Amino acid sequence: MYTGNNPAARRSQEELAQALLALMENYTLQEITITMICQEAQISRQTFYQIFPSKEDAIRFLIKSSYEQFESELHNYGKLTVAQLAEYTFLFFDRNRKFVTLLIHNHLHFLLLEEFQNVLPRVVTLSLNSDEAIRDSAVLSFLSGGLCSMILYQIEYQTPTQAHQSAIAFSRLFGENAITLQTGGNVS
């Protein structure tokens, strides 16, 4: 996948990914061809393959772009309880429900989980009832997997998202105030 800074290439990357997303509203990923994506974006097949090795990589690009927004917003919070992190996460995914639904219908929800497990450790430091911050990748993996699974379940089975109640239920797995999360923001 293209990771450079060339403005024209970045614009093509975005246009191709958005074209794929638009096509996924009417076709399954399996039915969509590279030619269809390129026609929708009005970009050549050669450019597609210079930017993305596959359709799945275009989906990963969309997921990463979405998670960049998640990271940016979460970075400003400072200290959070697990319940607060969960509530923010439920609300974020709910705002992106249409995209998540398309991924679920195309059996690509595992990509959301994979990428979320990369994002959460970058923005959160765990503090287990102490001032000593640690990075426990197993606990962060559990957090991200649990959150993602609850969200995917709610969206797949069209359960109305009640972010606050779902967040409280999720945080109870850890006990009352057992974990405080430190995001990248300034803490007073």
Side-chain angles (χ1 to χ4, degrees):
M1 182 170 12
Y2 180 76
T3 57
N5 293 319
N6 179 308
R10 300 286 292 188
R11 193 171 37 256
S12 293
Q13 189 175 36
E14 182 67 35
E15 289 172 5
L16 287 163
Q18 290 301 321
L20 174 57
L21 188 58
L23 289 167
M24 286 176 66
E25 292 182 21
N26 298 309
Y27 304 95
T28 66
L29 184 66
Q30 217 170 19
E31 294 170 322
I32 298 170
T33 64
I34 302 301
T35 300
M36 291 169 68
I37 298 167
C38 293
Q39 287 173 344
E40 180 78 16
Q42 298 181 347
I43 294 174
S44 73
R45 283 175 54 91
Q46 179 182 359
T47 300
F48 180 92
Y49 285 112
Q50 288 173 342
I51 294 174
F52 297 116
S54 68
K55 295 181 287 188
E56 289 77 10
D57 284 307
I59 296 294
R60 283 184 193 278
F61 170 79
L62 290 167
I63 292 169
K64 285 179 182 182
S65 296
S66 179
Y67 284 163
E68 284 173 6
Q69 177 188 359
F70 175 84
E71 279 186 77
S72 175
E73 293 171 10
L74 190 61
H75 194 73
N76 296 320
Y77 276 92
K79 281 193 174 186
L80 295 171
T81 64
V82 171
Q84 290 167 325
L85 172 69
E87 185 169 0
Y88 175 76
T89 305
F90 282 114
L91 291 170
F92 176 81
F93 276 88
D94 196 50
R95 287 193 317 258
N96 292 283
R97 182 178 282 265
K98 183 178 178 182
F99 177 53
V100 174
T101 300
L102 288 172
L103 295 177
I104 290 169
H105 287 119
N106 283 279
H107 309 288
L108 297 169
H109 49 285
F110 69 94
L111 293 175
L112 283 172
L113 177 58
E114 281 179 13
E115 293 302 324
F116 196 63
Q117 287 181 319
N118 291 328
V119 168
L120 205 59
R122 285 198 306 262
V123 295
V124 174
T125 301
L126 282 153
S127 300
L128 301 172
N129 281 337
S130 72
D131 292 331
E132 182 181 333
I134 62 167
R135 288 196 181 271
D136 186 331
S137 58
V139 173
L140 286 170
S141 181
F142 177 79
L143 270 173
S144 57
L147 278 171
C148 231
S149 293
M150 283 182 73
I151 291 162
L152 290 169
Y153 179 88
Q154 288 178 339
I155 292 175
E156 183 172 6
Y157 295 102
Q158 299 174 355
T159 306
T161 302
Q162 297 176 349
H164 184 72
Q165 292 87 343
S166 296
I168 296 300
F170 180 78
S171 69
R172 285 188 183 136
L173 295 170
F174 298 93
E176 195 70 28
N177 298 320
I179 299 175
T180 301
L181 301 159
Q182 173 62 49
T183 65
N186 293 329
V187 180
S188 49

